[in-house]
Amino acid sequence: MTCARNGRGGATSARGAIALVLTLVLSSCASEEHGPSPAASASAVALPEITVPATGESETTESEATETETPEDDETEDDDSEDGETGETSLAGGSYEVTITGAAGQADFEREGTVRVLDTISEVGTTNEVNVVDVCLVSGFPAAQPEAGAIWLGSNSGCDPDASAAHIDLAYVETDGRTVTVRPDERVAATLGNNFTAGSGLAAGLYAPVSGQMSITIDDDGDLSGTVDIVGYGGAGFGEIRYQAEISGHRA
């Protein structure tokens, strides 16, 4: 009876062992069928390769390439920039009959005169630059026949009616289109190439312009207009007086 029980117990044990082996085998097969575990799958995924550029390196963008290829536009110059500059003039040369109205010192006057516009008289011997044109206003004969408002005022002594061959540049000349401005040069005032009087008779002083200017404009029709505003020095006995006048006239 005892042996019989032992035999059945051994058979039971054997069957348990076989069942355990079968269980392990089936478990292994199931693992192979359903693939690796999540942990194993995660470790098997390949990460994308990331390339980091070296510090300081940069690539030229399309916009940068466009900027570097932009043509330079600042080389073009305005060819008309010289128009109207000082030194250019469209003054019509010749002689103009004018009326001069104004005051010399305390004496009012109205008198006739002449304005002459000439090409440059002399290009040598000047101390105040070569004149673009030469201009002279002449009315009366101040040195020989003094009268109120009598005047010789010009840029070169060659404009004067009785000028000698030794032409003297007497003034600075500036032009702007149809306008010319004459400013007496004080350094040559003592030559009395320019002069005016404020009265008549033996007591009248002869004044040499030392400052101020004469400005005239001539239009297309030959009409002349302008002004004189100068200060003259008559020596120790006469001092300085001012000559102011308006000029108007037409081409002769």
Side-chain angles (χ1 to χ4, degrees), residues 105 184 189 194-196 206-212 229-235 238-243:
N194 286 330
N195 56 80
F196 67 87
L206 185 65
Y207 296 87
V210 293
S211 63
D229 188 355
I230 55 176
V231 173
Y233 179 66
F238 296 93
E240 293 183 345
I241 64 171
R242 190 174 186 179
Y243 186 113

Side-chain angles (χ1 to χ4, degrees), residues 63-231:
S63 60
E64 291 174 341
T66 302
E67 291 178 0
T68 58
E69 295 175 0
T70 301
E72 296 182 359
D73 296 328
D74 57 356
E75 294 180 356
T76 302
E77 297 181 356
D78 187 358
D79 294 335
D80 299 330
S81 60
E82 295 181 2
D83 292 344
E85 288 184 350
T86 298
E88 295 186 355
T89 181
S90 55
L91 284 175
S95 182
Y96 297 79
E97 300 299 327
V98 299
T99 299
I100 313 165
T101 306
Q106 301 300 316
D108 295 334
F109 64 84
E110 179 175 317
R111 54 186 304 119
E112 303 303 312
T114 302
V115 171
R116 299 177 68 200
V117 179
L118 307 172
D119 292 334
T120 302
I121 292 175
S122 177
E123 296 183 355
V124 297
T126 178
T127 59
N128 51 47
E129 301 180 355
V130 175
N131 299 334
V132 179
V133 294
D134 280 303
V135 180
C136 283
L137 168 65
V138 175
S139 179
F141 198 161
Q145 299 175 353
E147 297 172 335
I151 187 171
W152 284 8
L153 177 62
S155 57
N156 191 291
S157 64
C159 297
D160 296 336
D162 297 323
S164 66
H167 297 153
I168 303 172
D169 191 347
L170 300 172
Y172 299 92
V173 176
E174 296 177 356
T175 61
D176 184 5
R178 299 183 181 276
T179 299
V180 59
T181 300
V182 177
R183 294 184 293 112
D185 187 347
E186 181 180 2
R187 296 171 298 175
V188 295
T191 65
L192 289 175
N194 286 330
N195 56 80
F196 67 87
T197 51
S200 59
L202 297 177
L206 185 65
Y207 296 87
V210 293
S211 63
Q213 67 180 36
M214 171 177 66
S215 180
I216 63 171
T217 300
I218 303 172
D219 65 18
D220 289 334
D221 297 326
D223 292 325
L224 180 149
S225 61
T227 59
V228 178
D229 188 355
I230 55 176
V231 173

